[in-house]
Structure formats: structure tokens, C-alpha cells
Amino acid sequence: MAGDRLPSPPRERKPALAALAALLVLAGALGAAMLVLRAGDRVEAIQLTERVPAGQPIPEDAMRTVMVAEEPGVDYVLWSQRDIMERQGLVASTDLVEGTVLVGPMLSEDDGLGQDQVIVGLALQPGQYPPGLQAGDTVDAYWVGNASSGDAPEGSTPEELIADNARVAEINGEADGTSALSLRLRVDADDAVALARPASDGEVAVVIVPASD
């Protein structure tokens, strides 16, 4: 009979578990809120659509806008600053590849050619340059022709230094050590004549050296 049933014991409450569950719910809500806030902290930066050699200005058609998360200590170049880059004459301070998102240290002021500097073009074969050579590197150039050919720079002997502390202004080709490579060197005007003749015969080799003051 219903009247003969014993009363059910009261359900035991576990306040510690309830408090833990409440804390977990609160932590999840805070985490979701932080994700939403971080998603809102985004800036419109500049991304390159093509390679830009060191020392070259960045053309506007090589730039596109990209949204990136704002990070403390990361000095992104903003899309709104692209006109400032041109007005200040900023150029790539190192060789920049396609897909690079620009940050401040990647740019520097173009010091141009000094009054005593010229640009000389070189065509190099494997073995005449170190693998990994990049625009912006400082190199010494050596004559590596045949002394009996009569094409040696005046007063030079085979494997003699003919231009030192030259800066690689531009590279065309893959500097992998197995491919032909062409590059433009910024050199002192006094070295230009000694370098140009063997360069036209493909008798120049370059080595990377520390940049001088």
C-alpha cells in the first residue's frame, strides 16, 4: 500500500562539485570572450605579391592588403602608410620574397649612389659565387681568368682582388651554386674599369665578406 512506503532519503548535495562546475562554466565564458576580443584586434598590413631585391623601392602594384592579428612588439607597416614609404624614399633593407608581411625593420632609407660609386653588371657561372648569395651582401671580386689570354686587368695576376667591399644591389637567378647567375654590383668608381673588362669575359668570381664601415 502507498501509505506503507518508507520515505525516500533526501538527496545528498555536493557543494564542492557544484562550485567546480560553476568555475568551469565561468572559465569557458571568459575564454570565449577573450577569443572574440583578440579576433577584433586586427590591423590592415601590407603583404608583398612579388619579390623585391634589397635596395629597391617597393612598387605599389607589388603590395596588397592583409588583415593580421595585432601583436605587441611587432611593427607592422600598415596599408595606410604606403604613401609615406614613397615620400620618405624607403627601400627594402634585405631581399624580400613574395608573401612577406612588411614590418618596419625590413625598410630603410635609400642612400642612393655616392658620387664615387657606379653599378657594374656581372654574369657568373657555378663556382664563381658562393651558394646563398643575396642582394644586400657585401662581396670582394677577384679576376680568375687566364694570365696568358692578355685580358687581365692592368697590373693584375690570376686570382687577384680587383674590387673590394662591393655591395650586391640586385640578383637575377637562383643562387643555389648550380645555376648561372647575373647580378648588379655597387662598386667604387676607381674599381669600375678594372672590374668591367674581366666581367664582360665572365672571368670574375665573388666572395662574401663582412660589410665595412
Side-chain angles (χ1 to χ4, degrees), residues 4-175:
D4 296 334
R5 290 181 182 175
L6 295 175
S8 301
R11 297 179 63 183
E12 183 180 357
R13 296 183 179 274
K14 298 182 179 180
L17 289 178
L20 178 60
L23 286 174
L24 290 175
V25 171
L26 179 60
L30 288 175
M34 287 299 296
L35 289 175
V36 171
L37 290 175
R38 288 299 301 273
D41 292 341
R42 299 173 72 82
V43 294
E44 196 175 15
I46 295 174
Q47 186 178 44
L48 298 183
T49 59
E50 61 185 55
R51 175 180 172 273
V52 178
Q56 299 299 310
I58 300 176
E60 188 164 359
D61 59 5
M63 296 184 284
R64 67 184 173 197
T65 178
V66 62
M67 300 301 295
V68 295
E70 189 173 15
E71 294 290 346
V74 180
D75 183 22
Y76 290 113
V77 181
L78 303 181
W79 181 253
S80 59
Q81 296 174 323
R82 62 191 186 280
D83 292 337
I84 299 176
M85 292 168 51
E86 182 177 356
R87 288 200 304 268
Q88 294 184 350
L90 299 181
V91 298
S93 58
T94 187
D95 203 26
L96 302 177
V97 299
E98 179 184 351
T100 298
V101 178
L102 286 181
V103 295
M106 295 177 182
L107 301 174
S108 61
E109 292 186 3
D110 183 14
D111 54 5
L113 283 175
Q115 292 183 352
D116 58 347
Q117 291 183 321
V118 297
I119 295 290
V120 176
L122 299 180
L124 305 178
Q125 299 298 320
Q128 293 179 302
Y129 67 90
L133 182 67
Q134 298 181 10
D137 284 344
T138 300
V139 299
D140 284 351
Y142 290 83
W143 176 60
V144 291
N146 187 342
S148 63
S149 66
D151 293 330
E154 184 177 353
S156 298
T157 57
E159 301 178 5
E160 182 170 333
L161 177 67
I162 52 178
D164 63 346
N165 290 312
R167 182 181 175 187
V168 180
E170 183 179 358
I171 288 182
N172 291 303
E174 195 71 29

